[in-house]
Amino acid sequence: MKAIELATSYEPKDFEDRIYAQWMEGGLFKPVDDSARKPFVIVIPPPNVTGVLHMGHGLNNSIQDIIIRYRRMLGDRALWLPGTDHAGIATQHIVEKRLKAKGQSRHDLGREKFIEETWKVKEEHHGIISTQLRKIGSSCDWSRERFTMDEGLSKAVREVFVSLYERGLMYKGEYLVNWCPACGTALADDEVDHEEASGAMYHIYYELALEGLSAAARAACPEGRIEIATTRPETLLGDTAVAVHPEDERYKDLVGAKVKLPLTDRLIPIIADAMVDREFGTGMVKITPAHDPNDFDCGNRHGLERINILRPDGCLNDAVPEKYRGLKASAARKLVVEDLKALGLFKEERKIKHSVGHCYRCHCIVEPYLSEQWFVKMRPLADKALKAWKDGQVRFYPQRWENTYRNWLENIRDWCVSRQIWWGHRIPAWYCPCGETIVAREDPSVCPKCGSADIKQDPDVLDTWFSSWLWPFSTLGWPEKTADLAAFYPTSALVTAYDIIFFWVARMIMAGMEFTGQAPFRDIYMTSLVRDKQGRKMSKSLGNGIDPLEIVDEYGADALKFTIAFLTSQGQDVLVDKESFKLGSKFANKVWNATRFILMNLEGRNLGDPAHVALTDTDTWIYHRLDAAVRAVREGFDSYRFNDACGAMYEFFWNDFCDWYVEASKLSTRGGDDAEKDRAATILLDVLVKSLALMHPVIPFVTEEIYSKLTASLPAANLAAPAHPAFACQRLSGMAEQLMVSAYPAPDDARRAPDIDARFEGLKEMVRAVRALRGEFSIAPERKLKLSLLFEPGFGGADFIRARKALAASLSNTEEFEECPAGSTKPMGSVALVCKGLELYVHVREAIDTAQLADRFEKEIAKEKQYMDKTQAKLSNQAFLDSAPADIVAKEKEKLTDAARRVEKLGEYVRELRS
């Protein structure tokens, strides 16, 4: 065959963009058009349309790409559907920031013009993140790309809103919500990040109103005032009661009395409610229904007035005394404390650490705020989602996230879905002066009740997550009955970060069960967080973030993907720095250089069909190891243990194939027998091609580039790797034109050879012993050493090793060994090494430090004795002997015997070296 040119150095920039373009031009990211094939579908967690790729995206999308490439090569109808999210609050913030720089606000533009400007920003940013995803090699079907505000998804959002309203699951009411003063909108409970912060507990006195106070009440509170404690003293201006526990004997006579609310002219009652913890503080709690969730519920139970003291911007409003109006909460708090001190109503301030809610977008402190909002009634939806999990329709990887999922659904609260911004899906509700509320699939022109045309649409938009929770089926065309919906729903797997299990994962399952009757996916793989080497979460403020595109630019996309996958252990966060990605780069470089060496031995060879080529024991061994690797990698991918899969392919290619088999094959490729060279070259190429296919999902670019060189250069008759039947239209004389659509290696029982593997392991042990000796005593690799072997009587691997003298010599760079007669003593001037079933004598005494070697052997003796003590203790344990299978006990005894023999032999060597 003719020479195959491969550049002398691995330079991913030379081919990654070209290879990706070829995949795109060939339409290879689209699912195969074969309805008989099983679909495998992933919908991408839609990144913000105005966002940029960070390392979390790098991890998440690398994992998705590995899965979809693997499934594509298995012959599934693999679809990875991409798209972006309109990100209501975040995108509007960008536009408003631009307007602010011009001295304008959205109100200056008006709603319609502002929306036009936001669409422009969307179009400006839309291509950025998709381009970045292409750069890291994401094999999405870009022809199906969706956006959460495109026409189809907007129709789905409206259908769901109206359907929920018709089913009594969507309602509007005045409730306490989480309010972000900076963003000017309500937030769902899940959108509040609780962070520990320094604060204080302020102890304050409320004076009893003496008029009408009973004698029992006076006796219960002789000081004439009660003590309460709060972390937010400014909220007392909105208090409407003080509560005590109904069974608290201390205060039973005070229930029904009134207190003077400090700094106001109001009187508020003392009530009894079981929400009060009698053991906390004084057992008296101020009740502010408009500014605390628990107080809100308490106020509803007792019919208390709700006094909202905040404006939407977070400043105090006209419901408070004039001196506090217009102040931010922090400033009002300081002034309230000063005024309480002046009145003698302030007892003390105690510093504490407590949890404070922050907006998940802008990180401003969130205020509990009384507001009229739209809510989804979640309990009925949550029950269906819980049942889907209990019935096994969904399963989590790692499984421990099931507990988090269950706990949240069992304690769920209604979802506030209205947002006081302009960018997003407008709520499809209209209001008429007659009091009628119209919720409709199509925009109404008149009120159906009174016929008035004076109807106005709700100004709010829906929470961004309201469109995202429909993503698995809205992207496939729902509510229309499309071909894609029929073919690809429900989807197969979801890959997402654990920090949005509430925002997105659970809600998608709820929506899927409610509107399609099926869980939207079966497998849920929760990725870990990417942290720096110190374990810190990557952030702009710490300056410890890593840009995935910088990694691609420096090391290549394959290095990014392989490193991330290799380090991703299920359930554990990934710790990386830029240096970490050298791991993936070195592996890709190893694949490149190993291929170059193999290709040098193919020129001029007449390659045969590997299925009909006679195999040596060494060939049989490498096929056995390949089969073991195939099984391990597939098991890793199937169970979402990507580090196990990557570790198995790394171990096979770097160690088994390159370090052992390729080295062993030099006996054939450098010999003078052309027929043997042809035979060896055929097997080398076959194992290489199968290895490329095995590794492709994780290092797709370098494997595809090498594969393309092979398909372009090999004679058609010599192309032996069969393509998957699903890709018959893309075959080239038995070899798929593109590696990414060739068959993934399958387990092959006919390749299993455990006996050969065990015997070869004995040969490798010999070679490793010599190599270790060279390394420890700095013996030059090119120096040929002389070996002698003494086999133990009855050692079953002796004939196997005898027949491979030349191979052992080649792998260890020694002369072919001489076998010592039974009963021989160690040759003078040699160093003895103990291997299983034999003693190995290396004639290098004049080249090494004998004292150093004796020290090493003594350390090995100490280690072996520790092992023997541990094993002997196990074998002396009657419980172990009674419960362990007989073969396990026998193996432990055999190990103990081997260790004792090794200690004896090493002791002899030490005595000789010390003499």
Side-chain angles (χ1 to χ4, degrees):
M1 59 166 290
K2 62 182 181 180
I4 301 175
E5 293 184 6
L6 207 60
T8 55
S9 61
Y10 167 64
E11 297 291 346
K13 288 181 181 180
D14 292 345
F15 55 82
E16 286 190 346
D17 289 344
R18 169 172 49 80
I19 291 291
Y20 194 89
Q22 289 171 358
W23 288 331
M24 286 286 291
E25 290 165 8
L28 302 185
F29 297 159
K30 298 178 181 179
V32 289
D33 187 15
D34 183 356
S35 59
R37 290 283 165 193
K38 180 184 70 174
F40 190 94
V41 185
I42 298 176
V43 290
I44 199 170
N48 290 352
V49 70
T50 56
V52 294
L53 211 61
H54 55 65
M55 193 50 73
H57 290 124
L59 167 62
N60 190 277
N61 289 285
S62 290
I63 296 300
Q64 291 177 82
D65 192 50
I66 290 169
I67 296 170
I68 212 70
R69 287 180 182 276
Y70 170 61
R71 289 290 173 171
R72 189 182 288 125
M73 294 179 75
L74 288 180
D76 293 345
R77 296 183 71 196
L79 169 62
W80 184 12
L81 194 151
T84 46
D85 190 284
H86 65 279
I89 295 174
T91 305
Q92 177 156 323
H93 178 70
I94 290 174
V95 181
E96 291 195 279
K97 190 174 180 181
R98 290 186 179 185
L99 291 174
K100 186 176 180 180
K102 299 177 183 178
Q104 295 179 302
S105 73
R106 59 174 161 141
H107 301 287
D108 294 327
L109 269 65
R111 185 169 195 138
E112 185 175 338
K113 184 65 177 175
F114 179 81
I115 295 299
E116 287 180 11
E117 290 300 310
T118 310
W119 273 105
K120 290 178 183 177
V121 171
K122 178 266 176 187
E123 294 301 328
E124 176 185 327
H125 285 79
H126 174 250
I128 295 175
I129 202 157
S130 60
T131 299
Q132 293 174 328
L133 288 171
R134 287 172 166 87
K135 192 70 178 175
I136 68 171
S138 300
S139 57
C140 304
D141 181 358
W142 296 104
S143 69
R144 286 178 165 87
E145 185 178 7
R146 303 304 299 268
F147 176 57
T148 51
M149 282 182 64
D150 66 26
E151 184 178 351
L153 270 68
S154 295
K155 183 176 181 179
V157 166
R158 189 148 177 174
E159 173 64 29
V160 165
F161 186 98
V162 176
S163 294
L164 289 172
Y165 185 79
E166 292 171 344
R167 298 173 191 181
L169 298 175
M170 179 73 72
Y171 64 94
K172 191 174 187 181
E174 187 179 55
Y175 283 86
L176 200 65
V177 298
N178 304 295
W179 185 266
C180 176
C183 297
T185 184
L187 302 173
D189 290 343
D190 326 281
E191 296 172 324
V192 179
D193 292 332
H194 292 276
E195 302 171 7
E196 188 176 82
S198 297
M201 186 68 75
Y202 300 88
H203 291 255
I204 302 168
Y205 295 118
Y206 287 13
E207 296 177 317
L208 283 169
L210 299 179
E211 185 178 349
L213 191 66
S214 68
R218 290 175 184 268
C221 188
E223 301 87 356
R225 61 186 184 181
I226 64 172
E227 180 186 337
I228 62 96
T230 178
T231 59
R232 299 187 298 159
E234 72 280 3
T235 63
L236 71 83
L237 301 173
D239 284 2
T240 54
V242 171
V244 299
H245 195 280
E247 298 175 2
D248 194 330
E249 291 295 326
R250 295 173 295 175
Y251 305 128
K252 65 178 182 178
D253 293 324
L254 288 175
V255 175
K258 293 186 178 182
V259 296
K260 299 175 183 179
L261 186 63
L263 311 180
T264 73
D265 58 3
R266 290 192 289 118
L267 297 178
I268 60 175
I270 297 176
I271 62 174
D273 194 283
M275 68 166 277
V276 178
D277 181 356
R278 284 174 284 182
E279 306 302 320
F280 182 78
T282 62
M284 287 189 156
V285 180
K286 61 190 286 298
I287 304 298
T288 320
H291 295 285
D292 183 273
N294 293 322
D295 294 1
F296 179 84
D297 293 337
C298 178
N300 287 344
R301 289 192 291 272
H302 296 273
L304 299 177
E305 181 184 5
R306 303 168 184 162
I307 301 176
N308 180 12
I309 65 169
L310 290 178
R311 300 191 317 222
D313 63 359
C315 295
L316 272 62
N317 61 22
D318 291 346
V320 302
E322 186 173 356
K323 70 182 298 185
Y324 306 114
R325 294 172 189 172
L327 296 178
K328 287 287 186 182
S330 57
R333 180 175 305 168
K334 184 177 180 181
L335 185 56
V336 163
V337 169
E338 289 177 357
D339 290 345
L340 288 170
K341 288 178 178 178
L343 294 173
L345 298 177
F346 187 81
K347 180 182 179 182
E348 63 181 338
E349 172 185 336
R350 296 179 182 175
K351 299 298 182 183
I352 61 169
K353 291 281 188 181
H354 63 145
S355 180
V356 178
H358 292 75
C359 174
Y360 81 115
R361 285 297 184 195
C362 71
H363 304 295
C364 172
I365 292 178
V366 168
E367 296 286 352
Y369 185 72
L370 190 65
S371 176
E372 191 173 41
Q373 304 285 344
W374 284 93
F375 293 84
V376 175
K377 194 176 293 183
M378 298 295 272
R379 182 74 272 150
L381 302 178
D383 288 342
K384 291 181 181 180
L386 272 169
K387 187 176 186 301
W389 165 66
K390 290 176 181 177
D391 291 347
Q393 294 185 51
V394 295
R395 55 191 181 189
F396 287 81
Y397 298 86
Q399 191 174 359
R400 63 185 173 85
W401 287 110
E402 292 179 354
N403 295 327
T404 305
Y405 174 81
R406 183 194 66 225
N407 184 63
W408 186 70
L409 290 177
E410 288 177 346
N411 297 281
I412 200 164
R413 300 180 67 169
D414 287 353
W415 177 16
C416 175
V417 295
S418 46
R419 297 290 180 268
Q420 289 65 53
I421 57 177
W422 289 352
W423 174 243
H425 295 98
R426 187 89 174 261
I427 290 178
W430 288 258
Y431 309 107
C432 179
C434 76
E436 182 74 1
T437 296
I438 308 127
V439 174
R441 290 174 176 81
E442 303 294 335
D443 292 4
S445 56
V446 297
C447 173
K449 181 177 181 180
C450 69
S452 171
D454 185 22
I455 57 175
K456 297 188 183 299
Q457 187 173 0
D458 194 304
D460 292 349
V461 300
L462 286 163
D463 178 9
T464 297
W465 298 101
F466 195 87
S467 51
S468 297
W469 79 323
L470 315 178
W471 188 250
F473 51 89
S474 63
T475 52
L476 295 169
W478 188 93
E480 303 300 326
K481 295 181 179 179
T482 64
D484 271 5
L485 188 66
F488 299 117
Y489 188 84
T491 66
S492 308
L494 175 73
V495 178
T496 189
Y498 63 72
D499 54 353
I500 57 173
I501 189 172
F502 308 135
F503 290 129
W504 197 45
V505 179
R507 288 177 184 162
M508 282 191 290
I509 297 172
M510 292 186 214
M513 298 304 298
E514 181 69 21
F515 296 104
T516 73
Q518 300 179 83
F521 30 71
R522 181 174 182 182
D523 294 347
I524 304 165
Y525 177 73
M526 311 301 291
T527 62
S528 304
L529 293 179
V530 182
R531 300 181 182 273
D532 65 17
K533 282 296 185 74
Q534 296 174 251
R536 301 176 302 175
K537 189 174 180 179
M538 291 186 176
S539 68
K540 290 181 180 178
S541 60
L542 291 175
N544 63 344
I546 300 175
D547 183 350
L549 297 187
E550 287 186 17
I551 301 302
V552 172
D553 184 62
E554 186 170 353
Y555 298 115
D558 287 338
L560 172 75
K561 187 177 279 100
F562 183 85
T563 302
I564 284 288
F566 189 90
L567 297 177
T568 299
S569 180
Q570 199 174 102
Q572 296 182 13
D573 288 344
V574 182
L575 307 183
V576 296
D577 57 16
K578 285 188 176 182
E579 290 291 303
S580 301
F581 295 93
K582 288 182 178 179
L583 168 70
S585 178
K586 288 179 179 178
F587 185 59
N589 190 65
K590 181 73 171 182
V591 173
W592 186 268
N593 289 332
T595 301
R596 286 192 69 248
F597 174 80
I598 292 170
L599 295 183
M600 287 190 298
N601 291 286
L602 297 183
E603 185 175 0
R605 303 268 56 87
N606 293 314
L607 302 180
D609 181 348
H612 299 98
V613 169
L615 302 182
T616 66
D617 284 344
T618 309
D619 301 331
T620 300
W621 171 78
I622 196 60
Y623 277 120
H624 172 87
R625 299 302 301 166
L626 174 61
D627 184 75
V630 167
R631 293 171 192 267
V633 171
R634 289 174 70 123
E635 182 180 349
F637 285 158
D638 291 341
S639 60
Y640 301 95
R641 295 187 177 278
F642 301 98
N643 61 320
D644 290 347
C646 291
M649 65 176 66
Y650 182 99
E651 177 68 21
F652 168 75
F653 190 84
W654 194 302
N655 295 324
D656 293 337
F657 185 56
C658 294
D659 287 358
W660 294 100
Y661 183 73
V662 172
E663 287 299 312
S665 68
K666 292 177 181 178
L667 285 175
S668 297
T669 58
R670 293 177 179 176
D673 186 337
D674 284 339
E676 174 57 18
K677 288 181 180 179
D678 292 343
R679 191 201 65 77
T682 298
I683 302 302
L684 271 171
L685 179 62
D686 186 54
V687 177
L688 173 64
V689 169
K690 288 179 169 62
S691 300
L692 295 175
L694 182 71
M695 298 182 292
H696 177 80
V698 185
I699 48 172
F701 286 108
V702 66
T703 52
E704 188 73 87
E705 174 68 0
I706 292 170
Y707 191 84
S708 68
K709 299 293 186 182
L710 296 176
T711 57
S713 303
L714 292 175
N718 287 326
L719 297 179
H724 196 286
F727 309 115
C729 60
Q730 298 172 348
R731 297 179 65 180
L732 175 63
S733 300
M735 199 174 195
E737 291 183 2
Q738 299 281 352
L739 182 60
M740 71 169 289
V741 289
S742 66
Y744 200 72
D748 184 356
D749 289 340
R751 295 296 193 191
R752 303 289 290 164
D755 291 343
I756 292 292
D757 185 51
R759 291 174 184 173
F760 203 84
E761 195 58 39
L763 185 68
K764 289 169 63 181
E765 184 184 4
M766 283 177 48
V767 174
R768 279 195 293 261
V770 176
R771 289 177 175 177
L773 189 69
R774 284 182 180 276
E776 186 163 357
F777 296 99
S778 303
I779 301 173
E782 64 274 9
R783 178 172 178 173
K784 253 189 198 321
L785 301 174
K786 181 181 178 182
L787 296 181
S788 297
L789 263 67
L790 176 61
F791 292 110
E792 288 187 356
F795 174 50
D799 288 342
F800 182 86
I801 294 175
R802 287 189 186 105
R804 285 154 190 83
K805 288 184 178 182
L807 178 58
S810 175
L811 292 172
S812 58
N813 193 26
T814 61
E815 299 174 6
E816 290 191 18
F817 65 80
E818 296 177 352
E819 185 176 345
C820 301
S824 300
T825 58
K826 187 176 75 67
M828 292 295 295
S830 67
V831 170
L833 302 172
V834 181
C835 298
K836 187 176 180 63
L838 60 88
E839 290 182 57
L840 181 65
Y841 307 124
V842 186
H843 298 260
V844 293
R845 188 179 180 108
E846 70 282 359
I848 64 172
D849 185 329
T850 55
Q852 183 181 357
L853 186 58
D855 290 343
R856 172 192 155 194
F857 285 160
E858 285 176 341
K859 290 178 182 178
E860 290 186 22
I861 289 171
K863 186 176 179 182
E864 290 291 344
K865 285 183 176 179
Q866 286 181 348
Y867 173 77
M868 289 173 65
D869 290 342
K870 183 178 178 182
T871 305
Q872 187 61 60
K874 183 186 293 186
L875 292 171
S876 299
N877 186 332
Q878 193 60 45
F880 169 74
L881 296 175
D882 292 341
S883 60
D887 61 326
I888 297 297
V889 174
K891 285 182 180 177
E892 290 298 315
K893 289 180 178 178
E894 182 183 353
K895 290 178 183 177
L896 184 61
T897 300
D898 288 343
R901 170 185 165 276
R902 185 170 175 80
V903 167
E904 180 184 355
K905 288 295 181 184
L906 289 172
E908 292 177 4
Y909 302 159
V910 169
R911 286 191 292 272
E912 180 182 345
L913 289 168
R914 296 293 191 201
S915 62

